[in-house]
Amino acid sequence: MRTSQFPLNTVKETPSDAEIASHKLMIRAGLIRKLAAGLYTWLPLGLRVMRKVEKITREEMEKAGALEVLMPALQPAELWQETGRWEQYGPELARLQDRHQRDFCLGPTHEEIITDLARHEIKSYKQLPIIYYQIQTKFRDEIRPRFGVMRSREFVMKDAYSFHLDQESLQETYQVMYQAYSNIFNRFGLQYRAVIADSGSIGGAVSHEFHVLAESGEDAIAFSTKSDYAANIEKAEALMPEGDRGPATESLNLVDTPDQHSIDEVSAFFGIAKSSCLKTLIVKGEEDELVALLLRGDHELNAIKAEKVFGIAAPLQLADEEQVLSACNAKPGSVGPFGLKIKIIADRSVVLMSDFVCGANQDGKHYRGVNWQRDIPLPDQIEDLRLVVEGDPSPDGEGTITIARGIEVGHIFQLGMKYSSAMKADIINEGGKNQTMIMGCYGIGISRIVAAAIEQNHDDNGIIWPAQLAPFQVALCPMNMHKSERLRVAAEKLYRELLDAGIEVLFDDRKVRAGFMFSDMELIGIPHRVVIGDRSLDSGMIEYRARTASESQELPMVELIPFLL
Ligand code: ATP
Ligand code: MG
Ligand code: MG
Ligand code: MG
């Protein structure tokens, strides 16, 4: 490619809504342009990167034996009604009607559609197990789209679904997909971790998330300093053994209650639907009164809740204790709505505790909390409130817990029969009996990965692409080519040779200053830069610099291609 035919849409300004490095750099480097909140156009340069993510993902899916399909983005309501998710999903599901007033939604995920396909297409148990996958646009009406394509409303996902006769077969395929995911993230050249996860609104029992490690990540993950133990912090808390409580429990040791508020009253005030109470811990007493509300600082919903709680417009960085206190105009212990006292308990959490001191429960022990997950109704059984903090012993007894930030880029689930039984996806088994198929599902955030890769690989000058994701491998920068015919001829020849060697090269044939070329190529993150000038033609040497290096080096021109390969 030549820059004369492949315009670089680099810009100096960063948009005011760009809070994190990848969002700023994707705009500045000309990878994406915003259309509206959470909606982005991919420019040619950005799309080249996304295509690389897709290519590697496809190759590993094919290796895992998955079959590619393409399902419609627009989905009929009837299928969602069959599983009950039409009612359960909440406002993230973008619903619309066609001209005949029939209900549809824009697919946020495709379990219903694939299950419908499977119940019609899979005729014999002999066809099982089978894995289908697609790479396709999803739509989720995110409450707070942000960070560019990291959390957008329209995004590209690779989603796969597997069908099985029995649990063993599901587990086998789950293992194959887990390995395929590890291969994919290894090939991207990203630092990542697979963690035990909660299966949330998708359902199922066993689930893992894949996180790209980055400070700006919205999730917290807990892992052992010594062993392989790694879990999403919510899951780590849910899995913590009985009696092994973190410091928050102590602060919830409360006595007597003159004033009580029902959970309904409080959730209405905070604007928390019972079904969308992600990452919030409500601690309630025996009579359903609110004892404490815990807001974890690792999800966008918190900002909204914090807004309601503290009456402030700006989203709060709950990780920053001072910021929280000054924004709330509060000291630890000051009183908020419902007489709730503000208390900072762990580095990423704020607890609002009742000022009226809601009594110790009957047996004089700790109050107990429930972990309210999205779309899961409040369970009757109330569990202990648990927190996992840095330095806790790892649950497997090896090492201690370290907490890091991660960007969720993949999520795999053993679904079981949640969809297949609701939708009667049955099959005749070997014994001639009707049997419900068992399912797994496996997602990768294709477009989010582009942003996550930048989040992990950049410096003050711009993006530093890992080789596998770079839009071009080599930037060929001739110095003052427009003044030297022999240089032009030599540069064209080198360009040809690079192309013939199968190297993706961006030939900067613009009539611009060297400094301008260099800063563009650094900003867009091309791994290798080759500078050729009139001097090179006399000496036979070119100037080479890796994007990761601070200095250039001289290389004989004839050795360039073998060096790059
Ligand atoms: P998150 O916790 O970030 O909201 P999720 O758990 O809702 O993600 P899944 O339903 O597990 O997402 O979807 C599979 C993958 O799709 C995620 O692991 C993530 O990489 C990607 N993804 C989900 N929502 C978005 C979004 N709004 N923008 C970009 N990618 C997304
Ligand atoms: Mg989500
Ligand atoms: Mg998630
Ligand atoms: Mg997920």
Side-chain angles (χ1 to χ4, degrees):
M1 257 339 144
R2 297 158 187 276
T3 48
S4 57
Q5 289 156 9
F6 193 102
L8 298 178
N9 304 296
T10 54
V11 290
K12 284 237 152 55
E13 317 73 51
T14 50
S16 56
D17 66 343
E19 300 165 55
I20 58 170
S22 60
H23 187 187
K24 289 181 189 151
L25 286 171
M26 287 185 82
I27 302 287
R28 281 188 50 211
L31 305 186
I32 55 167
R33 287 292 179 259
K34 182 174 176 174
L35 176 65
L39 301 177
Y40 290 85
T41 295
W42 288 78
L43 292 170
L45 194 65
L47 193 58
R48 276 182 81 96
V49 179
M50 185 150 74
R51 292 287 181 248
K52 304 236 157 153
V53 175
E54 288 177 8
K55 182 170 180 283
I56 289 174
T57 305
R58 255 197 193 92
E59 284 171 9
E60 294 299 327
M61 282 301 107
E62 302 283 327
K63 256 195 239 164
L67 309 170
E68 188 164 7
V69 292
L70 185 58
M71 295 177 272
L74 194 63
Q75 311 181 356
E78 289 75 28
L79 294 179
W80 285 71
Q81 281 152 356
E82 276 189 58
T83 60
R85 286 211 294 183
W86 186 256
E87 282 73 38
Q88 284 159 21
Y89 212 90
E92 216 173 272
L93 188 66
R95 299 152 209 258
L96 65 160
Q97 288 191 329
D98 70 2
R99 61 167 69 193
H100 309 293
Q101 284 79 51
R102 286 190 205 110
D103 288 322
F104 286 85
C105 64
L106 290 172
T109 177
H110 278 70
E111 282 80 15
E112 280 79 0
I113 314 308
I114 198 77
T115 308
D116 180 61
L117 185 80
R119 70 181 164 186
H120 292 117
E121 298 305 319
I122 303 174
K123 309 269 191 258
S124 157
Y125 70 90
K126 288 181 190 153
Q127 290 169 279
L128 298 182
I130 193 164
I131 315 171
Y132 293 114
Y133 81 100
Q134 65 172 348
I135 294 180
Q136 197 245 21
T137 299
K138 302 282 190 248
F139 195 93
R140 295 183 183 180
D141 202 355
E142 297 276 352
I143 187 162
R144 215 161 86 86
R146 60 171 178 170
F147 301 157
V149 297
M150 191 80 89
R151 183 170 298 286
S152 48
R153 295 197 291 172
E154 197 175 298
F155 60 96
V156 179
M157 197 200 287
K158 184 287 299 173
D159 45 330
Y161 307 87
S162 64
F163 294 86
H164 311 267
L165 262 187
D166 52 44
Q167 182 66 23
E168 291 71 63
S169 165
L170 168 62
Q171 276 163 6
E172 216 169 278
T173 297
Y174 189 82
Q175 233 12 77
V176 168
M177 292 302 266
Y178 186 103
Q179 189 54 53
Y181 273 46
S182 305
N183 297 346
I184 289 170
F185 294 112
N186 284 332
R187 284 182 65 184
F188 290 155
L190 299 177
Q191 269 187 284
Y192 71 96
R193 260 205 153 79
V195 306
I196 306 165
D198 203 88
S199 47
S201 70
I202 303 277
V206 176
S207 152
H208 285 86
E209 285 167 356
F210 288 77
H211 285 264
V212 162
L213 302 179
E215 264 314 304
S216 62
E218 290 183 277
D219 281 63
I221 57 177
F223 54 90
S224 164
T225 48
K226 281 228 182 89
S227 68
D228 286 343
Y229 178 82
N232 188 308
I233 196 148
E234 294 173 340
K235 190 68 180 175
E237 283 165 1
L239 292 176
M240 222 160 101
E242 280 283 335
D244 193 1
R245 305 196 191 98
T249 317
E250 296 313 312
S251 62
L252 292 171
N253 208 346
L254 307 164
V255 282
D256 227 317
T257 169
D259 197 346
Q260 298 184 343
H261 299 279
S262 75
I263 292 286
D264 282 343
E265 205 182 329
V266 174
S267 45
F269 176 82
F270 289 124
I272 312 162
K274 267 191 185 167
S275 63
S276 66
C277 198
L278 189 67
K279 300 192 188 181
T280 301
L281 208 59
I282 303 276
V283 182
K284 65 174 193 167
E286 305 273 281
E287 301 298 333
D288 243 22
E289 81 279 24
L290 178 86
V291 177
L293 175 74
L294 174 75
L295 306 172
R296 284 211 70 98
D298 51 8
H299 199 271
E300 80 272 23
L301 281 178
N302 288 309
I304 287 145
K305 286 178 214 147
E307 215 176 295
K308 292 253 182 192
V309 175
F310 305 119
I312 49 149
L316 278 181
Q317 221 2 292
L318 291 185
D320 184 341
E321 181 166 341
E322 262 172 46
Q323 197 198 341
V324 173
L325 291 175
S326 74
C328 309
N329 199 7
K331 296 194 186 70
S334 22
V335 180
F338 292 104
L340 291 171
K341 261 192 187 166
I342 295 158
K343 192 163 166 109
I344 312 289
I345 47 158
D347 58 342
R348 272 175 298 274
S349 310
V350 173
V351 165
L352 304 176
M353 283 173 48
S354 171
D355 189 37
F356 308 118
V357 202
C358 304
N361 53 13
Q362 304 299 335
D363 58 7
K365 292 208 192 110
H366 299 294
Y367 260 101
R368 317 194 111 204
V370 300
N371 199 349
W372 244 3
Q373 297 295 341
R374 180 178 45 167
D375 292 340
I376 300 176
L378 193 64
D380 294 335
Q381 180 124 41
I382 298 170
E383 292 162 26
D384 279 304
L385 167 64
R386 295 156 193 168
L387 279 184
V388 169
V389 292
E390 190 98 24
D392 275 354
S394 175
D396 61 2
E398 294 193 46
T400 56
I401 289 291
T402 296
I403 293 172
R405 312 294 300 172
I407 301 167
E408 183 191 325
V409 288
H411 199 165
I412 58 178
F413 308 77
Q414 290 184 17
L415 285 177
M417 296 196 281
K418 173 170 171 173
Y419 298 90
S420 47
S421 70
M423 296 181 69
K424 304 203 170 46
D426 293 346
I427 197 157
I428 310 286
N429 67 19
E430 207 169 354
K433 289 224 169 74
N434 234 29
Q435 191 183 321
T436 304
M437 286 187 279
I438 296 174
M439 291 172 63
C441 81
Y442 318 86
I444 285 188
I446 299 286
S447 45
R448 178 179 285 185
I449 283 165
V450 178
I454 297 174
E455 214 46 59
Q456 205 176 71
N457 299 282
H458 68 271
D459 63 12
D460 290 345
N461 298 328
I463 302 166
I464 308 174
W465 290 115
Q468 290 280 0
L469 299 181
F472 297 95
Q473 299 304 316
V474 175
L476 177 59
C477 303
M479 297 295 86
N480 295 317
M481 184 176 72
H482 299 274
K483 291 187 191 140
S484 165
E485 179 56 17
R486 71 173 190 140
L487 177 59
R488 197 190 60 74
V489 171
E492 289 284 350
K493 180 165 170 280
L494 183 56
Y495 175 51
R496 230 335 92 218
E497 287 168 0
L498 286 162
L499 287 180
D500 290 346
I503 296 169
E504 293 172 300
V505 45
L506 186 60
F507 180 21
D508 204 343
D509 61 351
R510 295 175 296 179
K511 225 176 182 167
V512 293
R513 284 181 298 107
F516 190 90
M517 263 184 206
F518 294 171
S519 62
D520 261 5
M521 294 304 169
E522 276 178 4
L523 177 59
I524 68 174
I526 309 301
H528 310 281
R529 185 182 78 195
V530 173
V531 180
I532 172 172
D534 260 315
R535 221 158 37 100
S536 317
L537 303 183
D538 303 327
S539 64
M541 304 293 275
I542 52 95
E543 191 190 301
Y544 167 80
R545 179 157 161 191
R547 178 63 181 84
T548 48
S550 53
E551 305 265 312
S552 303
Q553 64 186 95
E554 297 253 294
L555 267 184
M557 197 155 6
V558 290
E559 282 175 22
L560 177 65
I561 290 174
F563 172 82
L564 289 170
L565 287 176

